Amino acid sequence: MTVLVTGGAGYIGSHMVHALVDAGESVVVIDDLSTGFSSVLPRTVPLSVGDAGDETLVGNVIAQHRVESIIHFAGSVVVPDSMRDPLGYYRNNTMTTRSLMNSAVKAGISRFIFSSTAAVYGNPDQVPVSEHAPTRPMSPYGSSKLMTEIMLHDVASAHDMNYVVLRYFNVAGADPDGRCGLSTVGATHLLKIAVEAATSQRAKVDVYGTDYPTPDGSCIRDFIHVSDLAQAHLAALSYLRGGGGSITLNCGYGRGYSVLETIEAVRRVSMRNFAVSYAPRRPGDIMTMVADTSRIRSVLDWKPRYDNLDTIARDALTWEKRLFSERGGHPKRAESA
């Protein structure tokens, strides 16, 4: 039996595919390659290029490969973009997932793992934030993910399906074996921006707000290594296969690092003192977002291996250096296929 990974050629999806293959699983990927790169996939994994919301395509893939579980990553993930194009985000995230769920129901798929986000919480009343916290998304991106969570709950209640929703905090780093990483030039992730500055692809790193009531005045985030996140999905799959019921889980480490601490970690591992520019706060930025991880640690057989900011920064930097070299030392956009 096979696991279908949608968005499997993307940043997190490709790490998931490698983790599944490493675990001896049969895998098939659907990805439209709009932000993914087929070159990072294992050669043994079949790739169907197309939209995860294309019910004909998905139905054929499920039947051809005898899919028994779905891990769903495909979607749009940039918060500022969602503010400019909310309808695009509701299409790519909510409507696509509705169609994917319909395909799953028709095929009798009983296990579904969904890639959600801490953005569903908005500005939390209490930190660390637990899964019971109120959901008050501050962007169409967060809203589109929350709508999908609600939809998944209703579908699972009406049909023979159990799910795990994993709410990611700040995903960073790259595969320690160098097989994949964040390849998109111009990505908005803080660590990506910092390693681009460390490799002379950016003139500086902008820090928005240094007057927050935090130890150093900058925002605080809970970073999780992308390989640990992939292992959390494997543990979620094992949980569902073992008869586990539907559940929503935070995915983080339960500790926060400030923006300035994160920049210093990249400076430390790169031994480069790149420039930092200080700007006013941005509207909508959340001051502190740290996960309460007690539930995931108690429910899943999951033990993080890379819970160290320098390790996360070093793996991200190693991957960025490889990309920069492959692009001939020029910061240009890589091809998607």
Side-chain angles (χ1 to χ4, degrees):
M1 302 297 279
T2 301
V3 180
L4 167 60
V5 179
T6 69
Y11 172 42
I12 302 172
S14 60
H15 287 81
M16 185 73 251
V17 171
H18 280 283
L20 286 163
V21 171
D22 290 346
E25 296 281 351
S26 174
V27 187
V28 62
V29 169
I30 294 177
D31 198 301
D32 66 5
L33 300 183
S34 59
T35 58
F37 299 83
S38 60
S39 58
V40 299
L41 291 172
R43 294 177 182 271
T44 58
V45 172
L47 167 64
S48 290
V49 179
D51 187 346
D54 181 340
E55 293 189 31
T56 300
L57 170 67
V58 173
N60 289 339
V61 168
I62 289 173
Q64 180 182 349
H65 295 277
R66 300 178 63 211
V67 169
E68 48 88 13
S69 300
I70 294 175
I71 305 179
H72 179 39
F73 296 99
S76 302
V77 300
V78 181
V79 171
D81 285 354
S82 78
M83 304 294 283
R84 291 187 289 269
D85 183 22
L87 290 176
Y89 270 66
Y90 293 128
R91 180 189 64 241
N92 291 344
N93 292 351
T94 311
M95 293 174 64
T96 290
T97 310
R98 182 264 170 208
S99 296
L100 179 65
M101 287 183 201
N102 196 43
S103 299
V105 168
K106 287 180 180 178
I109 302 294
S110 61
R111 290 179 286 272
F112 197 105
I113 299 173
F114 175 57
S115 163
S116 192
T117 171
V120 301
Y121 296 118
N123 210 345
D125 297 327
Q126 184 175 340
V127 176
V129 59
S130 78
E131 293 87 351
H132 298 295
T135 48
R136 298 176 300 221
M138 298 170 63
S139 67
Y141 165 62
S143 295
S144 70
K145 289 288 192 175
L146 182 58
M147 288 178 184
T148 301
E149 288 190 20
I150 295 168
M151 198 162 44
L152 183 56
H153 172 271
D154 292 342
V155 169
S157 297
H159 301 281
D160 182 22
M161 179 187 291
N162 285 318
Y163 64 83
V164 175
V165 168
L166 296 175
R167 290 176 176 166
Y168 307 166
F169 281 63
N170 285 67
V171 186
D175 176 42
D177 294 328
R179 298 173 295 185
C180 49
L182 183 53
S183 299
T184 305
V185 173
T188 59
H189 304 64
L190 171 61
L191 260 161
K192 175 72 169 180
I193 291 169
V195 296
E196 286 181 344
T199 51
S200 302
Q201 298 179 83
R202 290 179 183 261
K204 60 185 175 66
V205 176
D206 292 314
V207 176
Y208 296 96
T210 57
D211 59 347
Y212 288 97
T214 60
D216 64 16
S218 65
C219 293
I220 294 174
R221 296 292 181 264
D222 186 342
F223 290 95
I224 179 171
H225 195 291
V226 64
S227 293
D228 277 339
L229 183 62
Q231 290 301 314
H233 287 74
L234 269 182
L237 182 60
S238 178
Y239 164 82
L240 290 176
R241 285 173 171 170
S246 298
I247 195 168
T248 298
L249 302 170
N250 286 338
C251 266
Y253 289 146
R255 74 170 67 180
Y257 296 101
S258 73
V259 170
L260 295 180
E261 285 177 315
T262 305
I263 290 170
E264 285 307 311
V266 175
R267 281 174 164 170
R268 195 160 50 242
V269 300
S270 68
M271 296 183 288
R272 293 287 305 277
N273 190 26
F274 49 83
V276 175
S277 175
Y278 302 98
R281 299 183 188 187
R282 293 180 298 189
D285 274 356
I286 295 168
M287 179 178 71
T288 301
M289 181 64 80
V290 178
D292 179 341
T293 62
S294 54
R295 179 185 283 185
I296 190 172
R297 293 175 188 269
S298 65
V299 170
L300 300 187
D301 182 16
W302 177 65
K303 294 181 176 60
R305 296 178 56 193
Y306 306 105
D307 183 3
N308 179 277
L309 185 58
D310 279 17
T311 299
I312 296 171
R314 186 175 295 109
D315 287 344
L317 179 66
T318 299
W319 178 256
E320 192 62 37
K321 286 179 176 178
R322 172 179 166 178
L323 287 181
F324 195 43
S325 174
E326 289 176 351
R327 295 168 184 171
H330 300 290
K332 62 184 179 180
R333 183 172 297 278
E335 297 299 324
S336 292

